[in-house]
Amino acid sequence: MKFPSRRSWLALLSVGFIYAGTVVAQDYPARAIRIVVPFPPGGSTDVIFRILAPRLAENLGQQVVIDNRSGGLGTIGWDLVAKSRPDGYTLGAVIIPFVANPFLISKMPYDTEKDLAAVSLVAQAPFMLVVHPSVPARSVKELIALAKARPGSLNYGSAGNASASHLATELFIDVTGARMVHVPYKGGGPQVVSAVGGEVAVLLVPIPAAIGHIMSGRLVPLGISALKRDSTLPKVPTIAEAIGVPDFEISEWQGAVVATGTPNAVINRLHQEFVKTLALPEVKERIAGVGSRAVGSTPEELATHLNKERAKWSKVIKAAAIRIE
């Protein structure tokens, strides 16, 4: 009796895996899906995923639940996703700290690059440089000149040490030489309240966090961190054109990931449904209404984006000597 060769067995196994993946994709999803947002309710990431959830649920045919697991600069929530069963039923919402944390935290509970797999880029929003009305600067150049003339006299707020707003402002400082004093707060909401109240002079925050206060005149916009002006505030110049650095660009972004090992067929189904949902006019309009832009991408495009962001923020962290206490 002749037994199949090793090569034949491997071929049969590969066919079996492909068949199993196809079956999984056809049956998926069979129950509710959880999206872990590793920050408190009410922030821009939470808001955007809550906009998505109902329509994503309609497209997938199952309930989509938002699960807020805050703490540890997002590591508590992302660790939960990394250690979840790789079946596509637990997703994680990722933002800038996701790629920055490995350069800030000496003992990470998971490996950002190996333990989590990309699904789709979800949304992006540029940062806005704003000042309290009492600050005697009405342009980016005037603010830089003021900070250089009186080094250390201006303070800027952030959502916390090593938060996205902290990293973004340190990049601005590194490029322009505008020395300012960092004042960290516990979250995005408190940092904006502090600027409105005049406790801090300067903020570099995503448009969704500041747009209401800009429209009411409680904060003064000086520049936007995109490569072109934003339709929400068309009269506000880009920081790039103001400082003469054509490639100066910073954006807040949200993406979705799953545990590594999740079948490719399931990841592809998820990415397709994210793209389809983000293309819906009402979803795009609601995301635009909070100052962001719906994106939607392939897993490969999100993976490339994460690598670029990782390289950018690792340099900023090193240059500014940012540490987690």
Side-chain angles (χ1 to χ4, degrees):
M1 181 177 180
K2 186 177 180 181
F3 291 97
S5 67
R6 182 173 180 274
R7 181 175 294 180
S8 299
W9 275 117
L10 290 174
L12 288 169
L13 281 172
S14 65
V15 170
F17 284 133
I18 292 170
Y19 175 75
T22 303
V23 170
V24 168
Q26 289 174 346
D27 293 341
Y28 176 86
R31 62 179 189 273
I33 294 168
R34 172 175 59 161
I35 300 179
V36 176
V37 175
F39 301 98
S44 55
T45 299
D46 180 69
V47 168
I48 285 170
F49 275 90
R50 287 184 188 277
I51 289 172
L52 276 180
R55 296 309 305 269
L56 191 60
E58 288 179 21
N59 288 340
L60 286 165
Q62 293 289 344
Q63 185 180 15
V64 175
V65 179
I66 304 299
D67 185 4
N68 297 92
R69 298 293 184 103
S70 59
L73 266 180
T75 56
I76 290 175
W78 291 319
D79 185 45
L80 188 156
V81 179
K83 291 180 171 60
S84 68
R85 187 174 178 179
D87 54 12
Y89 289 96
T90 300
L91 285 76
V94 295
I95 61 173
I96 289 173
F98 176 73
V99 295
N101 283 348
F103 306 100
L104 296 161
I105 301 170
S106 58
K107 293 184 178 180
M108 290 282 288
Y110 56 89
D111 188 311
T112 301
E113 298 183 60
K114 294 180 180 179
D115 295 340
L116 292 148
V119 174
S120 176
L121 190 61
V122 172
Q124 285 185 299
F127 281 71
M128 182 68 71
L129 182 66
V130 298
V131 295
H132 185 265
S134 64
V135 176
R138 290 298 177 266
S139 71
V140 176
K141 285 186 177 179
E142 288 180 3
L143 179 68
I144 294 169
L146 183 64
K148 287 182 176 179
R150 293 187 284 174
S153 64
L154 292 176
N155 55 15
Y156 75 89
S158 80
N161 190 34
S163 63
S165 52
H166 180 200
L167 296 176
T169 311
E170 286 297 333
L171 178 56
F172 174 77
I173 287 171
D174 184 55
V175 171
T176 64
R179 301 301 169 199
M180 297 182 287
V181 178
H182 178 216
V183 181
Y185 288 86
K186 293 183 178 180
Q191 73 164 330
V192 175
V193 170
S194 73
V196 170
E199 291 178 16
V200 294
V202 183
L203 287 182
L204 187 54
V205 291
I207 287 182
I211 189 68
H213 300 296
I214 290 170
M215 295 302 187
S216 67
R218 289 176 288 183
L219 292 174
V220 180
L222 302 185
I224 188 171
S225 68
L227 295 182
K228 62 180 181 178
R229 298 191 183 199
D230 192 271
S231 58
T232 310
L233 296 162
K235 293 183 180 180
V236 179
T238 68
I239 295 174
E241 64 183 279
I243 64 176
V245 180
D247 61 347
F248 185 89
E249 181 181 22
I250 312 170
S251 67
E252 177 189 55
W253 48 266
Q254 289 84 21
V257 298
V258 290
T260 296
T262 301
N264 287 335
V266 171
I267 291 176
N268 287 333
R269 173 75 195 283
L270 281 168
H271 120 71
Q272 289 166 6
E273 297 304 340
F274 266 97
V275 170
K276 186 190 301 182
T277 303
L278 288 161
L280 294 171
E282 63 268 34
V283 171
K284 292 173 72 173
E285 185 177 342
R286 289 190 64 194
I287 290 177
V290 297
S292 194
R293 177 175 63 89
V295 182
S297 75
T298 65
E300 293 77 18
E301 287 168 338
L302 174 57
T304 298
H305 175 79
L306 294 176
N307 285 333
K308 288 181 179 178
E309 288 287 289
R310 190 175 289 115
K312 174 192 289 184
W313 298 116
S314 65
K315 292 177 183 177
V316 173
I317 290 164
K318 184 177 180 180
I322 300 172
R323 296 286 181 272
I324 297 296
E325 298 289 338

